[in-house]
Amino acid sequence: MRPLLITVGSRGDVQQFLALARGLLAAGHQPVLAAPRRFAPLAAGSGVEFAPLNDEMLAMQDAVAGQGARAAITAARSVRPMLRRLLDDQAALAARPADAVVYHPKSLGGPYIAEKLGVPAIAGLLIPLYIPTSAFPSPILPARLPALFNRASWRVAAAIEAPYRGTVRTWRAEALGLHDGFLPMAELVKAGSVLHAWSPHLLPPPEDWPAPAHPIGFWTMPADDTWTPPERLARFLDEGEPPVYVGFGSSTTGDPEALTATALEGVRLAGRRAVLATGWGALQPGAVADDVLVIKEAPHDWLLPRVAVAVHHGGVGTVAAALRAGVPQVVRPFLGDQPFWAARLHRLGVAPAPLRGRLTAPRLAAAIEDAAALAPTARTLADHVTAEDGVATAVARIAECVESRS
C-alpha cells in the first residue's frame, strides 16, 4: 500500500501519526507522512517519507501564548489566509499516488484529498471527537453539563470547525476542482472509517458505539535503542531515590516563572527530588537547588519508568507514556481534553483528583504523596496497556479498507 498520512497540530498529534507511519513501513508498505515542517527533524532517520506542510498557525500560537485576549483576537484575523496556505500545501499532495488517506481532523483538508484521489478516507482520532455517546460528554466541552446533555455535547466539535467551513469549501472547489457534494468534516468522519487510537483500558468503548469505532490502542513509537541520556541526567538519576517528573509541554498560564516556582516548591514540600522538563516554554526556571535537574526534554519511554511520579498537563500523549511506564500521575489540566483525561486517570486509580483552578505548592505536595501510594495500581494497568499493539491493529484496518475498495 501507499498510504498518505496527514496530521496538523502539536508534537503529540504528529508523533502518534509518525508511529503509525513507521508501523506501515515495517509491514512493507510505502507511507508518506504530511505534517507541519517544524517536525521534519522528528521524522528524520525513521525511513518514512516526510512531506512538509505550512506551519504558520503553529508559529502564531507560539507568539500569542500567554499574551492575553487582545493578542489572540488580533492574531485570529490572520488565521484564514494561513489556513488557505496550509490547505494549498495539502492540495499538492493530491499529485502523489496513494491508496488511502489517514487524516487528523485538525488538518481540515484530509478527507477532501481522499475524495480527489478516489481512495478511502480514514479519520485517525487520538481523542474522542465526533462519534456521539450518551455515556460521557465530549472531552473538549468547556463546561460541565448534566448527563442528560451528554449526546448533545458532541456537537461542539462541529461548532469549532464551522468558522472555517467557508474557507474549506472554497479551497475544495478552487484547488481540487470538487465543486459539488460538499460535506463538513463532522459528517464525513461519522459517515466514514475511524481509527480511535487510545487504549480501551484508559477509556473503554461505550455500549452505544458501533464495533468499528472501538478504540484499538495507542500509536506508540518503538523504543529508540540508540538514544543515550546526557551524562548529567544519568548521574542525577543514580544519585538518589527516583525523582518526580514535572513537565507541562506547551501548556502555560501566561506566567511560566510563577508556575515553575510553584511546582518546585510543591516537590520540595513533598520531600522529593525533581527532573523538570521545560518543553516548549511552559516552565522557565531560574536558579534551582541541587536536588532539581532541568532538562528541555527526554524520551518519555526512557525517562518515565525511572521516576516515582509524573506531574503533567494531561495531554493524551503524555498520559499514554505514563500509563505504559507504570508510573502514577498528578495532572494539572489547562485546556481542551486535558480535564477529561485527568478525570479518567483519577477514576482508574492511577492519579489523585485533578488539580483544577489555582495551583499552590501545598496542594501539589499533597497530590504527589497521594499519587505515590497509587504505584501498585499504575504498574498493574501498565501490564494491560503494554500488551496492546494499536499500530499493528491500525495497519490491518487500513489494509482492510483498501482491499474492500479495490
Side-chain angles (χ1 to χ4, degrees):
M1 296 187 297
R2 295 167 298 180
L4 173 60
L5 280 56
I6 307 176
T7 185
V8 170
S10 67
R11 175 171 176 153
D13 298 307
V14 174
Q15 185 163 302
Q16 295 200 57
F17 270 71
L18 177 58
L20 175 58
R22 291 181 62 163
L24 286 160
L25 186 68
H29 306 298
Q30 302 171 48
V32 173
L33 174 64
R37 60 171 46 91
R38 66 172 58 185
F39 296 111
L42 183 66
S46 67
V48 173
E49 183 178 354
F50 184 84
L53 300 177
N54 187 289
D55 64 356
E56 289 174 292
M57 287 198 289
L58 289 176
M60 179 193 68
Q61 291 169 12
D62 293 343
V64 302
Q67 299 300 311
R70 179 175 296 180
I73 292 170
T74 300
R77 296 172 184 154
S78 60
V79 164
R80 281 185 173 81
M82 290 182 184
L83 174 60
R84 179 57 193 258
R85 290 189 285 272
L86 170 63
L87 290 169
D88 285 342
D89 279 357
Q90 293 179 57
L93 299 172
R96 298 169 175 264
D99 300 305
V101 175
V102 184
Y103 66 93
H104 194 308
K106 285 183 183 178
S107 71
L108 293 178
Y112 310 107
I113 301 300
E115 181 183 3
K116 175 67 174 179
L117 291 169
V119 300
I122 306 168
L125 300 183
L126 310 181
I127 66 171
L129 277 177
Y130 291 102
I131 310 299
T133 178
S134 299
F136 50 83
S138 168
I140 60 174
L141 190 71
R144 296 182 181 180
L145 296 175
L148 176 67
F149 297 99
N150 278 354
R151 182 169 286 273
S153 74
W154 290 81
R155 298 173 187 164
V156 70
I160 291 173
E161 166 212 343
Y164 311 111
R165 206 166 285 160
T167 301
V168 173
R169 184 196 293 266
T170 300
W171 163 79
R172 177 179 175 273
E174 294 178 351
L176 300 179
L178 302 171
H179 297 278
D180 301 318
F182 173 81
L183 290 174
M185 176 71 72
E187 294 183 33
L188 291 171
V189 173
K190 286 190 284 188
S193 299
V194 175
L195 297 172
H196 277 150
W198 65 82
S199 169
H201 288 95
L202 171 62
L203 181 65
E207 293 182 357
D208 54 358
W209 270 10
H214 288 192
I216 60 175
F218 295 116
W219 293 346
T220 304
M221 293 278 282
D224 183 0
D225 295 331
T226 66
W227 189 82
T228 301
E231 191 274 335
R232 65 190 187 96
L233 174 58
R235 185 175 66 251
F236 182 82
L237 292 172
D238 288 339
E239 285 176 345
E241 293 295 317
V244 171
Y245 167 85
V246 181
F248 296 115
S250 57
S251 299
T252 180
T253 60
D255 191 345
E257 292 86 357
L259 177 60
T260 304
T262 299
L264 292 181
E265 177 64 9
V267 173
R268 188 191 68 79
L269 290 176
R272 303 274 180 163
R273 305 189 307 146
V275 171
L276 187 137
T278 58
W280 293 269
L283 297 171
Q284 293 183 11
V288 296
D290 292 341
D291 58 356
V292 175
L293 180 71
V294 177
I295 62 173
K296 182 178 181 181
E297 60 180 331
H300 280 159
D301 63 330
W302 186 92
L303 178 58
L304 293 188
R306 293 169 166 82
V307 304
V309 173
V311 178
H312 61 90
H313 56 300
V316 70
T318 308
V319 167
L323 286 175
R324 291 178 60 85
V327 61
Q329 306 176 51
V330 172
V331 182
R332 195 307 187 185
F334 291 83
L335 49 76
D337 57 311
Q338 295 167 8
F340 178 83
W341 296 119
R344 283 299 307 166
L345 294 170
H346 179 48
R347 187 173 302 175
L348 290 171
V350 296
L355 295 174
R356 302 176 185 272
R358 180 172 173 268
L359 183 66
T360 67
R363 287 181 66 208
L364 177 57
I368 290 170
E369 289 307 298
D370 290 344
L374 303 175
T377 304
R379 288 192 292 268
T380 298
L381 186 56
D383 291 338
H384 298 297
V385 173
T386 55
E388 300 165 350
D389 193 339
V391 167
T393 304
V395 170
R397 291 271 294 275
I398 295 167
E400 290 171 5
C401 287
V402 172
E403 290 168 4
S404 66
R405 191 71 169 259
S406 59

